[in-house]
Amino acid sequence: MAFTLSGDDVCQITHPSPIPNPYWVAFSPAAAKLIGLEFGSNGFPSNSSWLELLAGNSLSADPHHFPNPISTAYSGHQFGVWAGQLGDGRAILLGEINGQELQLKGAGKTMYSRMGDGRAVLRSSIREFLCSEAMHALGIPTTRALSVVGSELSVRRETLETAAVCARLAPSFLRIGHFEHFASSNNIVRLKEIADLLIHDHYPECKSTSEPYLELFRQICHRNAKLVAQWQAVGFCHGVLNSDNISALGLTMDYGPFGFLDQFEIDHICNHSDQGGRYAYHRQPQIMHWNMACLASGFLPILELNHTDEESQSLLRSALEEFPTVYANTWQSLFRQKLGLNSSQDGDTGLIERLLQAMHDSKVDFTSFFRQLSQIKLTQPIETIILRDQFIDREAIDRWFADYLLRLQSEVSKDADRKQSMNLVNPKYILRNHMAQVAIDKAQQHDFSEVTTLLKLLSNPYDEQPEYEAYSAPPPADLEKVEVSCSS
Ligand code: AMP
Ligand code: MG
């Protein structure tokens, strides 16, 4: 259900600010199905009222009408430092359709815009659109993107750019920051309301437990632990894991300077503003755990209604301590699947870690390596494994391949079956930065064909798509380090 809390301290009625001459940039047929929205053979809704609605220029498109658009208050920690009140500075929640909240990002100033203009640029809107839909197709929980609408309206970032509005869908856009907001003022009534709303709408299984609020906390932690393990398994770096960008439903949300790993570098930093590497690839699990500790601050006053201060802290601490185990179990299971292992054996984690270290040392392309690994035959002589050529230390990688083949032989493993199951978990196509950049460059010239192509391609990331074979390749050397601006 759309944000049902009301009151000036929680949300503000906020009308989108219109944009001049809106036009379609991108539209996701798959996301449209979630809300039963029909579209024509050109891939866009035939009813022009939807263009006006998703531009933020009108609040109705048959049969939907959204009389009470809102922006919500939240707070959070940015780069580990308490930032106080933030809130939806450029996102406006229109309402709900079919259990999906419909939110416009970049639809103009809100009560929470602070110094910002409430807008989003075309560049970042296309990146959010493509990555949301790509993540969903990878099987990773995420907010969805319905559309991007462009306009000639200019916005100033490092240079003058044009504005766009991205329409997002999610069962709820509640964040850890919503809890932190009311924890910071010790507003127990509001904290309970948010927790009750989550239990009622999204975590009903908590209701029947003896400690529903504690159970809710545990479940949110578990979902986010599993989420970050899924990110690691596809080489996704979020880039800005501030607590206000972390979903209470365990969804990937607020796509900014994200990046998928090309060459595997364990300490890869995708956000150019992140000089200390707080949000580097290998730190994501630990940072997500840290964010769950921020969430605990919102549950403490609720638990204290029925427990002593000490008991409440101890209950939350124990629940928080489950995070590393849930994360590690999910990570191990996902990487076993990536290697095509059917069973769990002692030494598997060591085998995976040795491989990742070797990939890091030789900067091997993460996605294409795992995809090609499925082609290895059980009885293949090591010197004929083409993948070994990607490693500098041949002796070390040959030892690894020998151990890997022995490990495969220790269980029932048929080449054809293993290839099939590995290809279901090792994507062939991911949204590499240089690919997104080509689509953006064209879109800035009013050619949206590449956005449409990437959406189609990334909607089936595990399938062979011979017509798009070139998109599976690592970036050419001159495009390896496409600079992604963090301003959006
Ligand atoms: P982000 O790092 O994009 O998650 O943004 C952090 C905070 O700044 C959030 O509260 C955003 O809503 C807000 N914000 C980001 N960009 C803008 C903008 N152009 N105008 C207003 N608020 C913004
Ligand atoms: Mg954000």
Side-chain angles (χ1 to χ4, degrees):
M1 207 189 303
F3 215 82
T4 49
L5 310 181
S6 57
D8 285 356
D9 58 329
V10 186
C11 61
Q12 299 278 336
I13 296 277
T14 311
H15 286 267
S17 308
I19 47 174
N21 304 321
Y23 51 82
W24 291 117
V25 171
F27 185 82
S28 166
K33 287 200 180 112
L34 289 174
I35 56 167
L37 169 56
E38 293 186 354
F39 45 92
S41 53
N42 65 351
F44 295 102
S46 23
N47 180 343
S48 65
S49 65
W50 274 95
L51 178 61
E52 294 297 325
L53 175 76
L54 299 178
N57 290 1
S58 136
L59 287 181
S60 59
D62 197 44
H64 304 286
H65 176 54
F66 301 102
N68 294 312
I70 57 164
S71 47
T72 71
Y74 56 80
S75 297
H77 286 81
Q78 299 191 310
F79 288 87
V81 179
W82 174 244
Q85 179 174 308
L86 300 163
D88 293 321
R90 53 173 170 171
I92 298 177
L93 180 59
L94 298 187
E96 184 203 301
I97 311 173
N98 286 359
Q100 295 286 328
E101 292 184 353
L102 173 60
Q103 194 188 63
L104 301 184
K105 181 169 174 179
K109 280 192 185 160
T110 75
M111 278 287 290
Y112 311 104
S113 295
R114 296 173 291 152
M115 305 298 281
D117 58 8
R119 292 296 180 190
V121 296
L122 179 64
R123 164 175 53 78
S124 68
S125 304
I126 290 175
R127 280 170 51 84
E128 169 141 18
F129 174 85
L130 288 174
C131 200
S132 306
E133 293 307 279
M135 289 293 262
H136 170 72
L138 285 167
I140 300 178
T142 176
T143 59
R144 301 292 300 274
L146 176 63
S147 59
V148 176
V149 173
S151 165
E152 67 210 16
L153 180 73
S154 19
V155 279
R156 178 157 291 284
R157 296 295 182 262
E158 285 98 349
T159 59
L160 214 51
E161 299 188 49
T162 58
V165 177
C166 180
R168 311 196 288 191
L169 296 171
S172 168
F173 285 95
L174 277 171
R175 306 150 187 268
I176 303 316
H178 283 110
F179 279 93
E180 287 183 284
H181 186 66
F182 294 108
S184 70
S185 53
N186 204 29
N187 191 336
I188 302 170
V189 176
R190 287 301 191 195
L191 288 170
K192 241 176 123 278
E193 275 178 352
I194 299 174
D196 286 335
L197 188 152
L198 281 169
I199 291 174
H200 184 267
D201 290 353
H202 308 289
Y203 294 85
E205 65 280 8
C206 297
K207 253 185 250 169
S208 53
T209 64
S210 56
E211 294 272 359
Y213 296 116
L214 179 63
E215 186 56 23
L216 174 64
F217 175 70
R218 285 182 69 240
Q219 294 298 327
I220 297 176
C221 290
H222 286 199
R223 282 200 198 178
N224 279 302
K226 289 177 188 165
L227 176 70
V228 75
Q230 287 184 280
W231 290 348
Q232 302 305 92
V234 295
F236 175 77
C237 300
H238 181 284
V240 201
L241 286 178
N242 292 337
S243 58
D244 55 299
N245 289 339
I246 309 294
S247 154
L249 298 194
L251 308 173
T252 313
M253 80 179 325
D254 280 13
Y255 292 87
F258 67 84
F260 282 87
L261 297 176
D262 292 309
Q263 296 175 345
F264 184 70
E265 284 175 294
I266 192 114
D267 48 357
H268 176 72
I269 305 165
C270 64
N271 179 348
H272 295 282
S273 317
D274 182 11
Q275 268 120 21
R278 179 178 168 86
Y279 299 138
Y281 171 78
H282 66 312
R283 294 225 173 101
Q284 296 191 117
Q286 164 196 341
I287 289 292
M288 187 63 96
H289 191 194
W290 190 91
N291 282 321
M292 294 303 106
C294 294
L295 175 63
S297 72
F299 278 84
L300 189 61
I302 307 180
L303 291 196
E304 281 171 354
L305 294 173
N306 293 315
H307 298 278
T308 64
D309 184 25
E310 243 169 52
E311 275 167 6
S312 306
Q313 290 199 23
S314 151
L315 288 168
L316 287 169
R317 199 170 299 120
S318 311
L320 200 54
E321 278 166 10
E322 293 174 23
F323 185 101
T325 311
V326 175
Y327 167 75
N329 288 344
T330 313
W331 184 90
Q332 282 161 18
S333 158
L334 291 171
F335 271 86
R336 275 199 188 96
Q337 291 172 47
K338 286 178 82 67
L339 291 183
L341 306 177
N342 297 318
S343 58
S344 154
Q345 290 183 20
D346 290 348
D348 285 350
T349 302
L351 190 72
I352 299 164
E353 284 173 350
R354 268 171 64 206
L355 171 64
L356 292 178
Q357 183 64 56
M359 289 175 73
H360 171 86
D361 293 341
S362 295
K363 297 191 180 346
V364 171
D365 186 79
F366 186 76
T367 304
S368 58
F369 176 87
F370 280 105
R371 184 71 180 190
Q372 287 166 29
L373 191 65
S374 69
Q375 291 166 18
I376 287 185
K377 306 276 183 287
L378 265 190
T379 54
Q380 186 166 351
I382 306 284
E383 60 279 11
T384 65
I385 297 175
I386 302 164
L387 281 172
R388 72 194 278 276
D389 295 342
Q390 297 187 18
F391 293 81
I392 298 160
D393 186 345
R394 295 288 162 84
E395 272 177 39
I397 199 61
D398 284 357
R399 276 197 303 278
W400 186 84
F401 277 123
D403 290 343
Y404 175 53
L405 290 182
L406 275 178
R407 173 64 184 83
L408 289 176
Q409 287 156 12
S410 74
E411 61 185 21
V412 180
S413 193
K414 296 207 179 94
D415 288 338
D417 296 348
R418 191 177 63 255
K419 179 174 179 183
Q420 200 176 19
S421 58
M422 286 173 79
N423 284 352
L424 292 176
V425 294
N426 291 312
K428 174 132 182 171
Y429 304 102
I430 51 154
L431 181 63
R432 296 178 188 267
N433 268 342
H434 74 286
M435 286 160 51
Q437 197 55 47
V438 172
I440 290 164
D441 291 343
K442 286 192 177 174
Q444 286 171 337
Q445 305 302 317
H446 278 253
D447 172 358
F448 310 119
S449 58
E450 191 65 8
V451 177
T452 309
T453 299
L454 290 184
L455 175 65
K456 185 162 172 261
L457 164 79
L458 297 168
S459 296
N460 296 295
Y462 299 106
D463 292 352
E464 293 292 329
Q465 302 179 59
E467 70 275 35
Y468 295 128
E469 186 67 27
Y471 287 93
S472 67
D478 56 329
L479 290 181
E480 254 164 25
K481 300 259 183 259
V482 170
E483 293 274 316
V484 178
S485 163
C486 301
S487 64
S488 59

